[in-house]
Amino acid sequence: MGSFDIITLVFLGLAVFVIFKLRSVLGERTGAEPPPFEGLRRDAPPTVRDDKVITVPSREVEAGIPGEAPAPSTFQWEGYAEPGSALAAGFDAIAGLDPSFQPRTFAAGAKAAYEMIVTAYNNGDRKTLKGLLSRENFDAFSQDITEREARGETVQSTFVSIDKAEITQAVVKGRMAEVAVRFVSQMINATKDKSGAIVDGSLDKVATVTDTWTFARDTSTRDPNWRLVATGE
């Protein structure tokens, strides 16, 4: 019995020590501590439905005026056209034929196409050009490349940046959708003759180049691709 009492006292002492350490680490609740989920706004309480499911207020509500969600914009071309403008009407007309049309994605695609076409033209890459140009434009570009090759000239160019790809016009002609884009880019461009001498441009200077290109797509076909149909400075 004596040994049993000693063991019991040892374990009792250990239990008291553990409880003391836990209280020193975790602390004691005094009734003044904030309740759980203090991060939720008090002015946007959870909504309790009849089925007892609680819906936590969204972060969008928290970020705005208490109890009010930000009003969504009702103008779908915001940032690309002014309400009531000819450009907005053009977007409406194109979207009526092609519901997937979005100025943002179109502008990004046009920007990529611009760099691809200029690079392919300078490199004499007719294969790439054929898939990006209308037939008439491909014939014109190809003829220019042929004449340049006959003179023994080569073009060396580098895109430094494309600073702007701004949609300036959008129209529908029958089932054909057309969108004009104004590009502003920074380029290093030089044309060399057979001997390697520079006959046009410079390899040392960055030039600002401004072009307005028009892309078109026949919405009556399944082909989703837009092709370059007109160029201008």
Side-chain angles (χ1 to χ4, degrees):
M1 290 295 292
S3 60
F4 175 80
D5 290 340
I6 293 174
I7 293 173
T8 301
L9 290 174
V10 170
F11 277 105
L12 181 61
L14 287 173
V16 171
F17 175 76
V18 170
I19 291 172
F20 174 78
K21 292 297 292 182
L22 286 174
R23 291 182 64 182
S24 65
V25 173
L26 300 179
E28 295 182 89
R29 293 191 63 85
T30 64
E33 295 82 10
F37 305 105
E38 181 64 20
L40 297 179
R41 296 182 63 91
R42 300 305 184 100
D43 47 22
T47 301
V48 182
R49 301 199 304 266
D50 292 339
D51 54 5
K52 305 305 181 183
V53 176
I54 298 177
T55 303
V56 177
S58 66
R59 293 293 179 184
E60 289 76 13
V61 174
E62 294 178 47
I65 300 173
E68 294 185 9
S73 173
T74 57
F75 182 59
Q76 61 177 329
W77 313 127
E78 185 175 0
Y80 294 91
E82 293 296 326
S85 65
L87 185 56
F91 287 159
D92 289 338
I94 294 176
L97 297 176
D98 179 8
S100 66
F101 175 79
Q102 287 293 334
R104 178 178 61 83
T105 53
F106 179 89
K111 189 175 181 180
Y114 177 72
E115 183 171 354
M116 289 177 63
I117 291 171
V118 171
T119 301
Y121 172 73
N122 290 337
N123 294 338
D125 184 358
R126 293 177 176 84
K127 183 178 180 180
T128 297
L129 290 174
K130 193 170 186 178
L132 297 170
L133 309 181
S134 66
R135 183 172 180 176
E136 294 78 7
N137 271 266
F138 173 75
D139 290 343
F141 275 51
S142 182
Q143 181 62 32
D144 286 347
I145 293 172
T146 299
E147 293 175 359
R148 187 176 69 207
E149 291 172 341
R151 294 191 299 268
E153 295 176 347
T154 57
V155 178
Q156 185 174 339
S157 64
T158 303
F159 266 98
V160 177
S161 64
I162 300 179
D163 301 330
K164 182 178 293 185
E166 177 188 8
I167 298 176
T168 59
Q169 187 179 37
V171 296
V172 170
K173 300 177 180 178
R175 301 291 296 181
M176 188 68 69
E178 295 186 2
V179 179
V181 183
R182 180 175 177 268
F183 299 98
V184 179
S185 62
Q186 305 295 321
M187 293 180 60
I188 299 174
N189 196 75
T191 301
K192 299 179 179 180
D193 62 14
K194 293 180 180 179
S195 66
I198 296 176
V199 295
D200 186 36
S202 172
L203 292 177
D204 301 321
K205 295 181 180 179
V206 177
T208 299
V209 180
T210 301
D211 290 306
T212 298
W213 287 9
T214 301
F215 298 86
R217 175 178 175 259
D218 186 350
T219 62
S220 66
T221 70
R222 294 184 178 181
D223 185 356
N225 295 319
W226 293 75
R227 289 177 170 80
L228 179 65
V229 296
T231 62
E233 294 183 356

